[in-house]
Amino acid sequence: MISADIYSQVKRLEIETNRILNSSFAGEYNSAFKGSGVEFEEVRPYIDGDDVRAIDWNVTAKLNQPFVKIFREERELSIFLLIDRSASMQFGSTAETKKELLLKISALLSLVSMKNNDRVGLILFTDKVEKVILPKKGRKHVLRIIEEIMAFEPKAVQTNLCAPLELVAKLRLKKSVLFLISDFRANDFERPLEIVARKHDLVPIIIRDPREQELPGNVILRLEDLESGEQVLLNTSDRGFQQKYAELSAKQNKALEQYFVGRSIATIQLETGKPYISTLINYFKRR
């Protein structure tokens, strides 16, 4: 049973998101993601200019006049949201946490998929898969997905990106669009990711926080790893330490970026406290 508070949040999020969908966002999404092919619709009499390769020779022979096959694009897609709900997604040094940004993006992608009559599914994971909803169509189904995302309370704290990817591989789905939303603070996910990306249209959405990139100066910080519980006390008045922290963060980000570039996988990179709609639209346009 979804609480009244969660239901109220979902309705508010739906109203806010619908404003975005009434802009150019939905059109760009529709252009970026195509269906899996074409399907037969009907036959009709041949007219001058038709491609002779489209002639249906069986019907032509029976009716003693040329007929051609007509096909239409299969627009319908299966969209799967693979959402990281490990403890590191709770972090935030701006007005929003990584989790809050994740919720907005998930709701937006769910609703734009619904508007395009696509099937939408969900996998919520930590160091294991904790919730699975298989793709279906319809407003009621999509609102249930958004409610599940918002009401979800993870049982574990650590991250294992292999878990959702290995599950997708086992489900034997036809080609789908997979939005993998995480901060990608995990190891050894490369092999299952590459296997899944060969069959499906994989879109990694990397969510970061500015304090993960650089530290403020002249303060004493007590930092806690939300996944391991380990704590450390830092004095950031040391400019050399600040610089090393920023360099290490940049190096890690660059390595992740190069990994995806080397496999021709385009990522969406978002940061808490910053606009995200224009970044998503630019990604859709680039496709």
Side-chain angles (χ1 to χ4, degrees):
M1 175 68 72
I2 299 296
S3 70
D5 180 56
I6 292 294
Y7 181 78
S8 174
Q9 291 180 51
V10 170
K11 295 300 293 182
R12 185 173 66 250
L13 198 55
E14 184 184 13
I15 292 169
E16 293 173 357
T17 302
N18 277 332
R19 295 196 195 104
I20 300 170
L21 297 183
N22 290 331
S23 67
S24 62
F25 187 92
E28 296 294 349
Y29 168 90
N30 185 56
S31 299
F33 298 103
K34 301 295 184 181
S36 58
V38 293
E39 61 181 22
F40 173 75
E41 188 168 47
E42 62 177 349
V43 295
R44 63 159 172 77
Y46 176 89
I47 58 176
D48 289 343
D50 282 341
D51 189 340
V52 295
R53 291 173 296 182
I55 293 176
D56 186 323
W57 294 106
N58 289 331
V59 176
T60 297
K62 288 179 181 178
L63 300 179
N64 203 29
Q65 74 175 93
F67 277 76
V68 294
K69 295 178 181 179
I70 303 300
F71 296 86
R72 64 179 173 83
E73 180 185 2
E74 186 183 353
R75 174 63 189 86
E76 186 178 280
L77 291 173
S78 286
I79 307 295
F80 235 131
L81 303 176
L82 282 58
I83 297 179
D84 180 358
R85 286 300 310 275
S86 62
S88 65
M89 299 303 290
Q90 302 280 3
F91 181 71
S93 64
T94 69
E96 67 181 354
T97 64
K98 290 188 284 186
K99 173 190 167 184
E100 288 167 340
L101 178 55
L102 175 154
L103 292 177
K104 294 176 186 176
I105 297 165
S106 302
L108 181 58
L109 292 173
S110 298
L111 291 169
V112 73
S113 300
M114 178 188 74
K115 187 166 184 170
N116 281 280
N117 203 34
D118 297 331
R119 294 181 294 269
V120 186
L122 172 69
I123 296 177
L124 294 164
F125 68 93
T126 50
D127 61 359
K128 59 179 179 279
V129 171
E130 296 201 19
K131 184 79 177 181
V132 179
I133 301 177
L134 294 176
K136 286 175 59 179
K137 290 195 285 186
R139 183 173 183 274
K140 183 178 179 180
H141 174 75
V142 167
L143 290 182
R144 178 199 167 200
I145 280 181
I146 297 172
E147 288 170 351
E148 290 285 357
I149 295 170
M150 296 190 70
F152 180 71
E153 295 293 339
K155 295 182 176 64
V157 295
Q158 296 185 337
T159 311
N160 178 8
L161 291 175
C162 297
L165 294 167
E166 289 171 350
L167 175 60
V168 167
K170 290 177 183 176
L171 288 175
R172 300 185 181 278
L173 304 166
K174 74 174 187 177
K175 184 175 180 179
S176 304
V177 178
L178 309 178
F179 289 102
L180 177 54
I181 309 174
S182 173
D183 56 11
F184 285 81
R185 292 184 172 272
N187 299 313
D188 303 324
F189 59 82
E190 293 84 0
R191 179 62 178 161
L193 186 145
E194 290 161 22
I195 291 172
V196 167
R198 289 192 198 113
K199 178 178 179 181
H200 300 286
D201 190 348
L202 179 66
V203 183
I205 301 180
I206 303 170
I207 297 181
R208 297 191 175 106
D209 185 272
R211 283 293 167 261
E212 294 172 331
Q213 320 309 312
E214 56 184 39
L215 296 172
N218 299 317
V219 295
I220 296 176
L221 296 176
R222 182 185 297 276
L223 301 180
E224 179 181 352
D225 186 320
L226 294 173
E227 297 191 8
S228 69
E230 182 180 352
Q231 294 186 0
V232 62
L233 198 65
L234 299 178
N235 185 346
T236 66
S237 60
D238 183 344
R239 297 285 296 176
F241 177 79
Q242 278 185 279
Q243 184 176 349
K244 287 180 181 178
Y245 180 92
E247 288 174 352
L248 178 60
S249 176
K251 183 179 179 181
Q252 291 172 336
N253 294 343
K254 186 67 174 177
L256 185 62
E257 180 183 346
Q258 289 177 338
Y259 167 77
F260 285 119
V261 169
R263 285 145 188 84
S264 300
I265 300 174
T267 64
I268 301 173
Q269 302 190 35
L270 303 174
E271 189 170 279
T272 58
K274 291 187 178 180
Y276 61 94
I277 299 300
S278 58
T279 303
L280 291 173
I281 289 177
N282 287 336
Y283 172 84
F284 297 154
K285 285 180 176 179
R286 288 198 307 271
R287 288 176 61 102

